[in-house]
Amino acid sequence: MRKIAITVMLVVFFLLQAQWQELFPSSLITPNFLLMFTVFCGFLSGCNYGTVVGFISGLFLDVYMGQVLGFHSLTFVCIGYFCGYLHEFFYEKNILFPLLFVGVSDFLYNFIFYIFYFLLNGKLDLPYYMLNVILPEMLATVCTALISFHIFYFVHSRISAFEKRGEDID
């Protein structure tokens, strides 16, 4: 049941990310829905789910963006693993930590993207990239995560309750 729900949510988050500009043409920035979903899965379900969801989310982005196969997958696997590792230390109903993890993860993802796609190509304008790309996307992702986390947590808690009832019956 959990795998089916995560697969459906993964596809929904991917479609939201891929079609954001079509849905909101006046929007200049797109929240990183797949990164948000990876952080949520890692934070609520642990390292294994965070890593697997991170790999699949990154693979979706690698195929969709088409620049280098594996860059997003590796980055999202590391983010999913790190957030899954922190799953043990934080109370999952507290919304502050997932939002903090989403913000930090989005910042790190975009900074790594800048290093590999711009800095290594000789484009050294970090302040411009920071103010016009990284910070606005991070803000949009965190604001979107504020709403999305409640929906994701609701689905996660229902699935956990369903699985727990199934274990009690056996």
Side-chain angles (χ1 to χ4, degrees):
M1 178 72 172
R2 180 179 302 270
K3 292 176 186 174
I4 294 170
I6 285 179
T7 303
V8 168
M9 287 190 292
L10 181 64
V11 170
V12 167
F13 275 89
F14 173 71
L15 290 175
L16 275 172
Q17 185 159 341
Q19 297 300 316
W20 185 262
Q21 293 296 325
E22 299 286 327
L23 296 172
F24 303 103
S26 62
S27 176
L28 298 175
I29 53 175
T30 301
N32 199 334
F33 287 102
L34 291 175
L35 180 91
M36 189 181 350
F37 184 65
T38 301
V39 170
F40 291 163
C41 283
F43 181 72
L44 292 175
S45 300
C47 289
N48 291 338
Y49 278 102
T51 304
V52 170
V53 168
F55 177 74
I56 295 170
S57 297
L59 196 59
F60 276 6
L61 276 181
D62 285 334
V63 171
Y64 180 68
M65 293 179 126
Q67 293 174 344
V68 177
L69 190 63
F71 172 77
H72 294 96
S73 297
L74 181 61
T75 308
F76 277 44
V77 161
C78 293
I79 289 170
Y81 180 79
F82 177 71
C83 291
Y85 178 75
L86 296 175
H87 160 78
E88 302 291 327
F89 302 109
F90 296 106
Y91 182 59
E92 63 184 34
K93 286 186 180 179
N94 187 355
I95 192 166
L96 180 65
F97 292 113
L99 292 180
L100 180 68
F101 296 157
V102 166
V104 169
S105 298
D106 193 61
F107 179 82
L108 289 174
Y109 164 74
N110 280 314
F111 191 72
I112 291 168
F113 190 86
Y114 167 77
I115 289 172
F116 284 101
Y117 282 94
F118 293 104
L119 188 63
L120 293 178
N121 289 325
K123 298 177 183 172
L124 304 174
D125 200 5
L126 179 62
Y128 175 83
Y129 191 76
M130 182 75 71
L131 292 175
N132 293 315
V133 178
I134 294 177
L135 293 178
E137 183 183 316
M138 185 175 75
L139 183 64
T141 303
V142 169
C143 290
T144 309
L146 183 64
I147 298 165
S148 301
F149 181 74
H150 292 294
I151 297 166
F152 186 82
Y153 184 74
F154 175 77
V155 172
H156 173 75
S157 62
R158 294 296 173 240
I159 291 170
S160 296
F162 180 76
E163 288 176 344
K164 191 173 187 177
R165 276 185 288 165
E167 290 174 3
D168 291 341
I169 293 171
D170 292 337

